[in-house]
């Protein structure tokens, strides 16, 4: 296994499940801030860097007109770009490049770009680390998962003992 993969697994252990901590537009979600708080110190300890990069020539913006739920005609700016997220092991120089996309929509182009970056980063991290999100307490769920693992180990030991006798 590559050294970078081993370090990424160390980070994944910290974030196997996270609690949905915010609500907006009728949805509950995990904020980018809490994901970053969960992984940044470990990334520094392991000397791992994550860099989002716009793919050259792919950043575009277009006005879109639509009718909102109040029947009013609105015009927003839709910002789109191809991205690459680059994980780099500072010690070895090893890199992993993950293609991704950015899509943001707001009344103002700079806000559309900012919200698109935030959304892209948050969902990249959630999907890259396969983070389960829950409305329940993640510590309780982790404890239940650990207890289940312990039960499995005990059952395996008991089965070996029974077979031995």
């Amino acid at each position: 296994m590559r050294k970078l993969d081993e370090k990424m697994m160390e980070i994944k252990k910290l974030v196997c499940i996270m609690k949905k901590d915010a609500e907006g537009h009728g949805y509950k979600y995990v904020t980018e801030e809490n994901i970053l708080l969960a992984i940044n110190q470990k990334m520094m300890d392991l000397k791992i860097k994550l860099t989002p990069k716009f793919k050259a020539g792919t950043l575009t913006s277009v006005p879109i007109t639509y009718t909102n739920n109040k029947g009013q005609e609105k015009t927003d700016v839709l910002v789109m770009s191809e991205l690459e997220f680059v994980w780099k092991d500072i010690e070895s120089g090893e890199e992993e490049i993950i293609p991704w996309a950015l899509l943001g929509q707001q009344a103002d182009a700079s806000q559309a770009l900012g919200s698109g970056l935030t959304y892209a980063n948050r969902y990249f991290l959630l999907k890259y680390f396969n983070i389960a999100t829950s409305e329940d307490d993640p510590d309780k769920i982790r404890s239940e998962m650990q207890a289940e693992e312990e039960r499995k180990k005990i059952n395996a030991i008991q089965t070996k003992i029974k077979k031995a006798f």
Side-chain angles (χ1 to χ4, degrees), residues 6-162:
E6 292 172 5
K7 290 182 176 185
M8 299 313 285
M9 290 304 291
E10 287 299 311
I11 296 169
K12 182 176 174 56
K13 288 178 189 176
L14 296 176
V15 290
C16 65
I17 185 167
M18 295 188 76
K19 184 175 183 172
K20 293 179 181 180
D21 59 333
E23 190 171 342
H25 303 287
Y27 298 98
K28 290 185 178 182
Y29 59 93
V30 178
T31 61
E32 178 189 35
E33 176 183 18
N34 280 341
I35 298 167
L36 294 174
L37 285 170
I39 67 173
N40 273 341
Q41 185 61 52
K42 191 67 166 180
M43 286 173 60
M44 288 185 279
D45 293 346
L46 295 171
K47 297 184 171 109
I48 297 290
K49 179 172 94 164
L50 176 62
T51 306
K53 293 183 177 183
F54 287 97
K55 201 161 181 194
T58 67
L59 181 60
T60 61
S61 65
V62 293
I64 59 165
T65 302
Y66 62 96
T67 303
N68 70 10
N69 58 2
K70 296 179 183 175
Q72 301 166 319
E73 191 169 284
K74 296 283 185 177
T75 299
D76 281 353
V77 178
L78 182 64
V79 176
M80 301 165 282
S81 182
E82 292 179 40
L83 293 176
E84 292 179 336
F85 281 92
V86 182
W87 290 107
K88 183 172 184 176
D89 182 333
I90 306 240
E91 293 175 317
S92 70
E94 184 181 354
E95 289 186 344
E96 180 179 8
I97 300 170
I98 312 293
W100 205 254
L102 172 144
L103 187 63
Q105 178 183 334
Q106 297 282 341
D108 176 82
S110 61
Q111 290 175 337
L113 180 60
S115 66
L117 282 167
T118 298
Y119 193 86
N121 195 50
R122 177 167 33 115
Y123 278 94
F124 170 75
L125 293 169
L126 286 169
K127 299 307 174 192
Y128 183 86
F129 289 114
N130 303 115
I131 300 171
T133 58
S134 173
E135 293 181 26
D136 297 325
D137 178 14
D139 290 330
K140 179 181 179 225
I141 294 169
R142 280 187 199 101
S143 294
E144 289 170 356
M145 289 167 56
Q146 287 173 343
E148 180 62 24
E149 285 300 314
E150 288 299 316
R151 279 191 290 277
K152 287 179 182 176
K153 288 178 186 175
I154 291 169
N155 286 343
I157 293 169
Q158 288 174 338
T159 300
K160 285 182 183 178
I161 291 171
K162 287 177 185 175

